Amino acid sequence: HRDLHSFPTRRSSDLEFFDVVTTAQLGMHSKPIAVVNTGGYFEPLFTLFRHLNHEGFIYGDVARLFRVASTAEEAVEAF
């Protein structure tokens, strides 16, 4: 099994994150997904998810597919 990692400093991290979430939503994997939201970095993304869900542009609440942590340690402990 392959571990999945995504870091906000890497240019491709956004695409990797969406790929991992999308494949989880399609049932292609059931690996745990954690978002380390250091300093609220991902808050705009979470706001966008809520808006897209409310407007019917995405299927279901994608936030159920991942856990949000403030630190890497907290993310590891969550699983």
Side-chain angles (χ1 to χ4, degrees):
H1 108 332
R2 187 178 138 210
D3 293 325
L4 304 170
H5 305 278
S6 182
F7 302 97
T9 56
R10 290 184 31 208
R11 183 154 176 79
S12 63
S13 65
D14 293 340
L15 293 177
E16 290 172 359
F17 175 74
F18 286 113
D19 182 54
V20 170
V21 170
T22 299
T23 54
Q25 189 173 34
L26 293 173
M28 296 172 70
H29 76 83
S30 59
K31 296 178 182 179
I33 303 169
V35 177
V36 180
N37 191 27
T38 305
Y41 180 86
F42 289 104
E43 288 305 318
L45 179 63
F46 302 149
T47 299
L48 176 63
F49 282 159
R50 286 189 295 274
H51 175 71
L52 292 172
N53 186 39
H54 180 262
E55 295 297 323
F57 286 103
I58 56 177
Y59 177 75
D61 181 17
V62 296
R64 76 188 188 295
L65 300 172
F66 56 86
R67 296 184 186 178
V68 179
S70 298
T71 65
E73 294 81 12
E74 187 179 305
V76 171
E77 290 173 8
F79 298 103

